[in-house]
Amino acid sequence: MSFSTLLSPLDLGFTVLKNRTLMGSMHTNLEETENGFERMAAFYQERVEGGVGLIVTGGIGPNAEGAVAKGAALMVSDEDAQQHKVITSRVHRYGGKICMQILHAGRYAYNPALVAPSAVQAPINPFMPKELTEAEIEQQISDFVRCAKLAKQAGYDGVEIMGSEGYLINQFIVSRTNKRSDKWGGSFENRIRFPLQIIERIRAEVGEEFILIYRLSMLDLVEGGSSQDEVIALAKQVELAGATIINSGIGWHEARVPTIATSVPRALFGEVSKQVKQQVSIPVITSNRINTPEVAEQLLQSGCGDMVSMARPFLADAEFVNKAAELRSDEINTCIGCNQACLDHTFDNKISSCLVNPRAANETLLNFLSVTTPKNIAVVGAGPAGMAFATYAAKRGHVITLFDKSPVLGGQFNLARQIPGKEEFNETLRYFAKQLNKYDIQMKLGFEATPENLQNFDEVVIATGIVPRTPNIEGVNHSKVVSYVDVLNKSTIIGKRVALIGAGGIGFDVAEYLCHQGESPTLNKDLFTKEWGIDLTNGHSGGIVPAQPSASPRQVFLLQRKATKVGKNLGKTTGWIHRASLKHKGVSSLNNVKYLKIDDQGLHISIDDKQQVLEVDHIVLCAGQTPNKQLLNELTAAGYNRPIHVIGGADVAAELDAKRAINQAAWLAAEI
């Protein structure tokens, strides 16, 4: 496929962007870490060299009370501007353009000094905001202007004003959070005064030849959000106020609708930005769940935007644009929308990276340098850890032979990709298969490695994964009992009533699998919007309508021993989605469960000392895993005297932990 539209220049009048790709804003937490600016410079440099048209940084606060958290990055002084020159000079040296995002968190600030248009507490924040006085509102506007001027002083090509996702500006715009009765509240015209004043005053200070992006909330996905008429009216006023580009924002952080997780259909919100683009003459950027150049090109050709914003895809592959231009899109390491190493890390105050590309945000630390003396290395296990290690080590010049007793690549990924909503895992398998062939890695699939056939290697990497754990329950060998592996590999026909023992990530995945029939909503936009109650036309203010989830073909019981909330340890930014999805399907989640026995009647349990029997057709064991140490033990017993490395699940069994497996593989490959 040709990507002629995606790769065509965009003339902004005073400057030209080399193509239509925007690397969207991502806060990596490098902003606040030691040597963080140097690391960010290297991070952005690789994306510029990879071909991206325009970069927007992670959100930078215009004042202390607006910072996303106490101690988060600010742009308030000449000293701050000087620090940022490390980034801008590097980007410009390699021919790129970069804008700084100005983000005032408002009532979302995890900061006791937080402020907002009204004292309305956010449901996702323990702190009550202070209502701004009129004088303080004027000061907030002045702080935005100062921030933009300092960004220009720092060498940025422009700024993005964050007016979406439920942050301060968005809080002024909607009646949900703006309860004021003065000139900053009440009527729609008054509520949009705040963003328009910010745009106008920034433009007056920075001049005409400075990119000014306004991030417009096009679909709030919360009750009391903006109507479509209001979104369009604001877009027109934003253009008149002096914005260069309008970027699209979808959903508030408190919205109970998924917008960027892997279960969201690709390009679901393209039509939303198209409706705005048709009403303004400045460029409009479309965004959310766009992860391949094919999807990006289709969106542009269909008039959904003038540019495409992709944030996480540039974490997954810095060479995204170059590979598309060279018609090598099948070699792109595709973002799977998992959030595990990016957003989950961001909100956990860890350095953000990428599950499928651990080098992201570690460019100064993790490098795969060519070796002078190649080693002959055996890698046993072709799951995520084995494939990743083999790829990175072969890239360095080592000679790799990859063994797996299964006839196919993928290991546990072959189970994960069966889950409705996790179809993107197919992309990771495609990527690694391509890389293994590219680097001429010898693959011995359907072949069991033994101490005897590993004798001629210099070193051995054991990536044999995990073994499902069988809990000690009376009757666990009953014919009703099956492993989650039997369910996901379709070797057993599962009945209409099912109990799942174990409510970790695997238990939730298996429940999701058992509760679906027909096409996955991730592959069907109409079904997805119906199940989650999304009105893409925004005919109902906020774009929310009653959800109509499809019925589950089974009655499912999800059980855990712990007394804590079921699903408590799921991903920080996606766990709520999994819990809500199963609730929609009528899954019964039970905690503090004691398993008594299994017999013909079903599963006997006790909760709070009250016994009951779940009369089910099948009991599925999702009770964790243990490392598969069989080969390691055999090599040890045989006195194997070459270096042995153990990675992935074979080292530590922790659910389907591809993030840890690939990360561990990458660091070992860089060092070996």
Side-chain angles (χ1 to χ4, degrees):
M1 180 181 183
S2 170
F3 306 108
S4 57
T5 312
L6 182 68
L7 300 173
S8 64
L10 180 63
D11 190 347
L12 299 179
F14 58 90
T15 190
V16 177
L17 305 180
K18 61 185 176 183
N19 58 52
R20 306 300 179 101
T21 61
L22 176 82
M23 178 177 166
S25 176
M26 290 175 287
H27 195 85
T28 62
N29 284 330
L30 288 173
E31 294 85 349
E32 296 86 18
T33 198
E34 186 177 358
N35 298 320
F37 283 90
E38 183 60 39
R39 289 177 65 177
M40 279 191 289
F43 171 68
Y44 290 130
Q45 174 191 327
E46 290 206 0
R47 275 72 194 168
V48 170
E49 291 184 293
V52 68
L54 179 63
I55 293 170
V56 174
T57 70
I60 305 295
N63 50 40
E65 63 270 26
V68 291
K70 196 171 183 179
L74 304 176
M75 180 67 87
V76 298
S77 67
D78 292 341
E79 183 181 355
D80 292 331
Q82 186 64 35
Q83 281 188 303
H84 282 255
K85 288 181 179 179
V86 176
I87 295 172
T88 57
S89 61
R90 185 80 64 87
V91 167
H92 294 152
R93 188 187 315 160
Y94 288 89
K97 287 184 169 61
I98 184 167
C99 295
M100 190 192 83
Q101 186 187 80
I102 306 175
L103 186 156
H104 191 305
R107 74 177 192 150
Y108 280 169
Y110 198 79
N111 179 349
L114 74 173
V115 297
S118 301
V120 180
Q121 187 172 358
I124 57 174
N125 196 338
F127 301 116
M128 172 67 76
K130 173 187 176 295
E131 180 174 310
L132 291 161
T133 65
E134 289 198 54
E136 288 169 339
I137 290 173
E138 291 288 348
Q139 184 60 54
Q140 295 295 324
I141 295 171
S142 296
D143 289 348
F144 271 90
V145 175
R146 177 188 62 191
C147 189
K149 288 172 63 179
L150 287 169
K152 185 176 182 180
Q153 180 181 317
Y156 284 103
D157 300 286
V159 294
E160 176 175 81
I161 300 168
M162 175 46 114
S164 65
E165 265 78 358
Y167 290 117
L168 179 71
I169 293 175
N170 214 169
Q171 293 160 24
F172 267 93
I173 292 168
V174 302
S175 58
R176 174 185 179 88
T177 44
N178 187 340
K179 308 298 183 182
R180 306 179 71 93
S181 57
D182 57 12
K183 69 177 184 178
W184 303 101
S187 69
F188 173 68
E189 290 72 23
N190 283 353
R191 298 198 309 273
I192 65 172
R193 188 188 307 274
F194 186 69
L196 297 180
Q197 285 289 300
I198 289 171
I199 298 168
E200 289 174 4
R201 296 188 199 180
I202 288 178
R203 176 58 76 200
E205 288 290 340
V206 299
E208 293 301 317
E209 297 188 357
F210 190 71
I211 300 171
L212 206 168
I213 306 170
Y214 182 78
R215 184 83 167 267
L216 172 67
S217 187
M218 297 186 184
L219 197 66
D220 291 330
L221 297 177
V222 292
E223 296 292 342
S226 295
S227 68
Q228 185 64 3
D229 287 345
E230 289 173 337
V231 170
I232 298 300
L234 178 55
K236 292 178 177 179
Q237 290 297 314
V238 164
E239 178 178 5
L240 292 174
T244 315
I245 302 171
I246 292 176
N247 196 0
S248 58
I250 305 293
W252 287 33
H253 286 310
E254 65 200 71
R256 296 293 88 184
V257 176
T259 57
I260 59 172
T262 187
S263 59
V264 178
R266 290 178 178 179
L268 176 66
F269 301 103
E271 289 298 316
V272 175
S273 55
K274 184 176 185 177
Q275 294 167 36
V276 173
K277 174 176 161 52
Q278 292 170 342
Q279 300 293 327
V280 296
S281 57
I282 57 175
V284 170
I285 303 171
T286 189
S287 70
N288 284 54
R289 280 292 285 131
I290 304 163
N291 63 347
T292 72
E294 289 82 4
V295 172
E297 178 72 15
Q298 187 274 326
L299 282 167
L300 293 175
Q301 288 192 9
S302 62
C304 293
D306 301 282
M307 293 185 73
V308 173
S309 175
M310 294 173 284
R312 296 170 300 168
F314 287 111
L315 284 176
D317 199 326
E319 290 283 321
F320 183 103
V321 178
N322 286 349
K323 289 178 179 178
E326 295 163 6
L327 301 182
R328 296 189 294 124
S329 62
D330 61 341
E331 291 187 37
I332 291 175
N333 194 1
T334 305
C335 167
I336 60 175
C338 68
N339 291 357
Q340 291 179 35
C342 52
L343 288 175
D344 283 359
H345 278 208
T346 298
F347 288 106
D348 234 356
N349 294 317
K350 300 176 182 176
I351 301 300
S352 294
S353 186
C354 179
L355 181 147
V356 300
N357 176 26
R359 194 162 176 274
N362 289 306
E363 288 77 11
T364 63
L365 306 175
L366 179 60
N367 289 286
F368 305 106
L369 305 177
S370 297
V371 295
T372 54
T373 306
K375 295 178 180 178
N376 186 18
I377 303 174
V379 181
V380 184
M387 292 189 297
F389 175 85
T391 296
Y392 292 129
K395 183 178 181 180
R396 294 188 62 205
H398 292 302
V399 179
I400 306 295
T401 303
L402 180 61
F403 296 84
D404 201 298
K405 62 183 179 181
S406 169
V408 296
L409 294 167
Q412 294 280 306
F413 260 26
N414 287 312
L415 300 180
R417 67 194 183 101
Q418 304 301 321
I419 311 302
K422 290 194 172 182
E423 289 82 2
E424 293 289 9
F425 282 69
N426 288 302
E427 297 290 352
T428 307
L429 289 174
R430 180 264 311 152
Y431 169 76
F432 276 124
K434 185 76 177 180
Q435 295 300 299
L436 295 172
N437 286 319
K438 177 179 179 178
Y439 292 110
D440 297 320
I441 293 168
Q442 183 179 3
M443 288 181 278
K444 293 191 174 183
L445 302 179
F447 188 98
E448 186 160 5
T450 66
E452 291 72 31
N453 55 39
L454 295 176
Q455 288 299 319
N456 296 324
F457 293 94
D458 297 321
E459 301 192 26
V460 174
V461 175
I462 297 176
T464 47
I466 56 85
V467 177
R469 191 175 71 84
T470 301
N472 183 21
I473 302 172
E474 181 184 340
V476 75
N477 294 319
H478 193 280
S479 59
K480 287 178 178 283
V481 179
V482 297
S483 166
Y484 70 87
V485 176
D486 302 316
V487 176
L488 298 180
N489 68 15
K490 302 179 175 65
S491 63
T492 302
I493 298 175
I494 304 298
K496 295 293 186 182
R497 289 173 54 84
V498 187
L500 308 183
I501 293 179
I506 293 174
F508 269 80
D509 277 354
V510 174
E512 194 75 47
Y513 177 83
L514 293 173
C515 286
H516 276 84
Q517 58 184 340
E519 190 173 17
S520 167
T522 302
L523 305 178
N524 184 321
K525 293 181 181 180
D526 290 339
L527 183 58
F528 185 88
T529 54
K530 182 179 177 182
E531 290 214 341
W532 286 96
I534 304 170
D535 174 14
L536 293 176
T537 69
N538 207 11
H540 298 75
S541 294
I544 294 292
V545 293
Q548 301 177 58
S550 55
S552 170
R554 296 180 178 87
Q555 183 176 7
V556 176
F557 300 89
L558 183 59
L559 315 174
Q560 72 174 28
R561 293 182 188 272
K562 295 178 182 177
T564 54
K565 180 181 179 181
V566 174
K568 178 185 177 183
N569 294 324
L570 296 177
K572 198 173 187 75
T573 61
T574 56
W576 69 269
I577 301 172
H578 300 305
R579 290 190 292 269
S581 179
L582 295 191
K583 184 178 180 180
H584 291 167
K585 298 292 184 181
V587 171
S588 299
S589 298
L590 305 176
N591 60 357
N592 200 25
V593 176
K594 292 181 180 178
Y595 305 110
L596 304 178
K597 67 177 181 178
I598 299 167
D599 58 19
D600 290 345
Q601 192 177 3
L603 175 62
H604 296 251
I605 64 173
S606 171
I607 300 176
D608 297 329
D609 296 325
K610 295 180 181 178
Q611 295 188 16
Q612 58 179 294
V613 180
L614 301 180
E615 297 181 352
V616 293
D617 303 306
H618 284 97
I619 296 103
V620 183
L621 301 181
C622 308
Q625 310 83 25
T626 58
N628 183 354
K629 301 284 190 183
Q630 180 180 340
L631 179 60
L632 177 63
N633 294 336
E634 291 174 355
L635 291 172
T636 303
Y640 195 81
N641 60 0
R642 280 83 160 174
I644 299 171
H645 311 272
V646 184
I647 60 174
D651 178 35
V652 176
E655 294 288 339
L656 299 179
D657 194 359
K659 180 183 75 170
R660 182 183 181 278
I662 294 174
N663 183 66
Q664 190 179 24
W667 287 92
L668 176 62
E671 297 165 0
I672 201 165

